[in-house]
Amino acid sequence: MTPASSGSARVIECLKSLGLTKYEALVYIALLKVVSATASEIHEISTVPRASVYPVLDQLQEKRLISVARSTPKRFAALSPEEGVAIMMSRIERDAADAREILSAIHRERISHEQSSEELIWNVYGIENIQRKLTEIITAAGHDVRIIAHPQIISPEIRELLDAVAERADIEIVTHQWEGGNKGKLRVYIKKHPEMPRELDHVKDMMAGGICIVDNRRVLVILGTGNEDAVALFSETEGFVRFFSRYYNLIVDWAKKPE
Amino acid sequence: MTPASSGSARVIECLKSLGLTKYEALVYIALLKVVSATASEIHEISTVPRASVYPVLDQLQEKRLISVARSTPKRFAALSPEEGVAIMMSRIERDAADAREILSAIHRERISHEQSSEELIWNVYGIENIQRKLTEIITAAGHDVRIIAHPQIISPEIRELLDAVAERADIEIVTHQWEGGNKGKLRVYIKKHPEMPRELDHVKDMMAGGICIVDNRRVLVILGTGNEDAVALFSETEGFVRFFSRYYNLIVDWAKKPE
DNA sequence: CACGTGTTGTTGTTGTTATAACAACATTTA
DNA sequence: TAAATGTTGTTATAACAACAACAACACGTG
């Protein structure tokens, strides 16, 4: 497999998400393989129909990704990949900045006289969003945070945050293991997996993810941590909170028992 | 004009270049305007056909831009613009990094047994590319650099570079004005525009851009600096270099004359 | 509890646009 | 004039946009 063909589908996808079409990507790649080329040579290298090469070259030129020689026939050369990607990214970053600004304006003016989201149970998709939400609710903690979680949930960032919040709120954690003995002001209970009594078997599954209860008012239930399609539930619903609060107490009572 | 409609076309374009479709953008924007909404409410806010809202919401969910409530009917909420844009950008940046890597591999293995580009005259489009090329050839200077240029060509970066290169190469500059008297090892001649004799009238146009000759071997001719569609010619062709060298000498001889 | 009504969610069809692919022709160079 | 270059216009194709029709469901009422 040639180096070109090995990742060719992938690299074309990448270039598409940087704003090129398939042909633009193919022509740009073709030009990278040589010092310079005429339209016909590009056609041969890239397999793009010869007649299509000309408009594509025009577009690449408008996007500032190639240089053109003043000769007949015209010769074309690609900017280096570093330069080319930088040029494409700078366009996108400009768009991103604009989007952020305009969208923020819209977001600030959003209609707030809607029913609050308190009576709902929300799905949070993706491990990054879950971490974000977890950070959000811990940060907003008033007087207590209670966590049962797989160690991988309690990332260094979360742990740092917990240490900070511990200054003003009571924090209780149940987990399998705790890296570094220093628990600071945190109350940490460690329970190994296999010790779990049979009647709490379904808890194992929960422990693959975790539960975080803040101020007995908000709950984040993390279901599985298969990095890709992790899902969490978030709610401020009274019944939901009460249910998981009881669930939490059940586990903690058992965790607190001396081994 | 409402804040939403004022930049709505623009923001949709921005979101498209971040990888969303028109409908995805419209639905995301609609969700930013409220705390949460059902599919039907989204349809009303966004004017996207109700039947199209559902698949679009699926796509937005896959792209991790919205949360979904567990209720009937389902309620949806947008992640904040900052989070949303960050998520889209991180996808693109990952693609950019991959593209850079794969393309660099292709570029390194390029077929080099091609005719060199020495006999050609190259067009360089865009002010950034011109600055880049100028930096490149000055950096590679062996024994001399000769420049006639409009002051705006000689940016702080270029000036810094020239100071560094002056250690090993003779540098001569003709321009209209020179910020800060410190010329270091550079030989700078300053000539105001209006003094120009009538027979050199066409030089004015050239002075709107500039000429840079390095080692009497490479020439960059900058034509106009209208920030958008600035074009430069670059060549190592003997005839081209000789022509502009003579041209250069003509102007410099006149510039050296005491006023 | 059956029933009608209105809403939610799904499916399939059609129109539209941008890209892809090609054929035919005009133009230049050797 | 033969070969290659450059241009133009037409036809596919695929993704997206827009809509119509229907099944599933919740809910209030007789």
Side-chain angles (χ1 to χ4, degrees), chain B residues 21-23 49-52 72:
Chain B
T21 66
K22 185 182 161 194
Y23 276 8
R50 198 178 61 83
S52 301
T72 50

Side-chain angles (χ1 to χ4, degrees), chain A residues 89 128 132, chain B residues 18 83-97:
Chain A
M89 278 305 287
E128 333 80 37
R132 210 192 320 269
Chain B
L18 296 180
E83 292 169 342
V85 171
I87 286 171
M88 291 186 271
M89 277 306 285
S90 72
R91 285 176 56 90
I92 291 172
E93 266 158 17
R94 196 161 41 75
D95 283 348

Side-chain angles (χ1 to χ4, degrees), chain B residues 159 163 178-186 188:
Chain B
R159 197 145 148 203
D163 281 329
W178 190 258
E179 301 286 338
N182 177 27
K183 296 172 185 173
K185 295 193 170 186
L186 313 176
V188 181

